Amino acid sequence: MARKARWEEHVRLRHPEVASHFAAVRLTLEAPDVIVSDFDNPHGLNYYRFGALSAPYHRLFLKVVVTFQQIDNAIVGAVITTSPTGRIAHAEVQQWP
Amino acid sequence: MTRRRPDIQTFSPRWPDFRLLPPQEMRLTYDRPSDTLFVDFSGEARAAASVPLDRGDRDYLFLRVDPETEAVVGMQIEHFLSYAIARHPELRAALDVAQIGRIDRGELDGLIPATMRTARADTRDTIIEDLIRLCA
C-alpha cells in the first residue's frame, strides 16, 4: 500500500524522478527481481527491480522500501520511500528468490 | 540457460563548484519515516538517481546524481539516527538546521543518543562543509 499522504509528502517532493511512475513502483512490488531485509527495520523489506523506470533511469534498479504492521487480522505493508539506485545495498540480506 | 547480468549504469559524479552555489539556497531536510537526511544543493529536490558511496560494510551515504549529466545535485544520508551519527557525530548538528518531517523536535531529541543531545554551535556553513567532506 502506498498511502496517498506519504506519496504526496515524500515521494513527490523528495523523489520527483519517481513521482509520476506509480505503476513502476507497483510493478517492483508485484514482480521484484530481489527482496532483501533492511538492516535497520526488522518489520521492513526492500524490493528491487531492474529497469522498472523509463529512460534515463532504465539502467538502474528501482528500490522500494516497505514497512509492515498488523492492522486487525491482516499484515499490511506501506511504502516508505522509493528511488532509483545502481545496486542492492550492502548489508541488506537477501530474502527472495 | 545463462542469466545475463543487467547492464547497470555506472556513474562518474561531477561535483558542482560550491563557490558558485548560494549557501542560503542549500536545503537540509530530515525525514523520520525513512530516517534519512537530504541535502539539496539548489533549494529543492531534483530528479536524480541515488548513488551509493563505498564507506565500509553498509550503504548509508548516497549522492543524488542526474543520470544524464552525472552532476551531483544533492546528498542522501540514510539510517541517519540509527547508524550515521554514531559513526560521524559531527552530523548531529545538521538536525538543528534541517527542516524536520513527520516528527516534532521534542520527539526527535528523544531519539538522539544522550551523549549527542547538546550539539556544537556549528554554523550552517560548517555543517554543510562537514556533509560535503563526508561524501566527496
Side-chain angles (χ1 to χ4, degrees):
Chain A
M1 171 171 63
R3 295 183 186 273
K4 190 172 191 295
R6 182 64 180 165
W7 189 269
E8 295 298 326
E9 78 183 14
H10 178 74
V11 178
R12 190 170 293 284
L13 292 180
R14 298 276 5 137
H15 294 287
E17 68 278 2
V18 184
S20 302
H21 299 283
F22 186 84
V25 173
R26 187 166 61 188
L27 177 63
T28 300
L29 294 174
E30 292 176 347
D33 290 326
V34 177
I35 302 174
V36 297
S37 56
D38 189 290
F39 64 74
D40 252 352
N41 180 7
H43 305 292
L45 291 173
N46 300 334
Y47 295 69
Y48 291 83
R49 181 178 172 98
F50 182 76
L53 294 170
S54 53
Y57 304 97
H58 56 296
R59 293 173 57 210
L60 297 168
F61 291 94
L62 179 62
K63 176 179 181 177
V64 182
V65 177
V66 178
T67 194
F68 296 89
Q69 63 180 124
Q70 183 157 358
I71 298 177
D72 297 327
N73 292 322
I75 303 296
V76 179
V79 173
I80 299 301
T81 190
T82 177
S83 64
T85 187
R87 68 171 182 226
I88 312 298
H90 290 166
E92 291 183 342
V93 178
Q94 186 166 335
Q95 300 296 318
W96 183 91
Chain B
M1 184 191 322
T2 302
R3 184 183 174 89
R4 289 185 302 156
R5 289 176 58 85
D7 178 25
I8 302 172
Q9 181 176 3
T10 58
F11 294 92
S12 297
R14 297 188 302 108
W15 285 86
D17 183 345
F18 287 104
R19 295 170 300 178
L20 304 179
L21 292 180
Q24 65 271 21
E25 285 197 8
M26 291 199 185
R27 187 176 71 173
L28 279 66
T29 309
Y30 175 72
D31 177 67
R32 178 59 197 146
S34 63
D35 192 19
T36 302
L37 181 78
F38 295 94
V39 182
D40 302 310
F41 294 158
S42 58
E44 61 179 6
R46 288 174 48 185
S50 299
V51 178
L53 297 174
D54 286 317
R55 294 285 193 277
D57 60 351
R58 293 185 177 183
D59 284 345
Y60 64 104
L61 297 174
F62 294 79
L63 300 181
R64 294 281 293 167
V65 180
D66 182 315
E68 291 180 300
T69 65
E70 299 192 300
V72 179
V73 299
M75 297 180 285
Q76 177 177 313
I77 303 175
E78 298 184 359
H79 309 288
F80 188 77
L81 290 183
S82 64
Y83 185 75
I85 62 169
R87 288 179 63 95
H88 309 284
E90 69 277 15
L91 298 185
R92 155 69 183 88
L95 293 175
D96 293 332
V97 300
Q99 295 174 12
I100 305 296
R102 278 300 193 153
I103 189 170
D104 65 38
R105 287 207 176 260
E107 289 177 271
L108 184 61
D109 284 344
L111 295 172
I112 297 169
T115 54
M116 292 188 193
R117 287 202 187 130
T118 303
R120 303 174 312 187
D122 285 344
T123 65
R124 194 166 181 276
D125 287 352
T126 303
I127 293 165
I128 291 173
E129 284 171 11
D130 284 342
L131 287 165
I132 293 169
R133 189 178 307 118
L134 181 66
C135 296

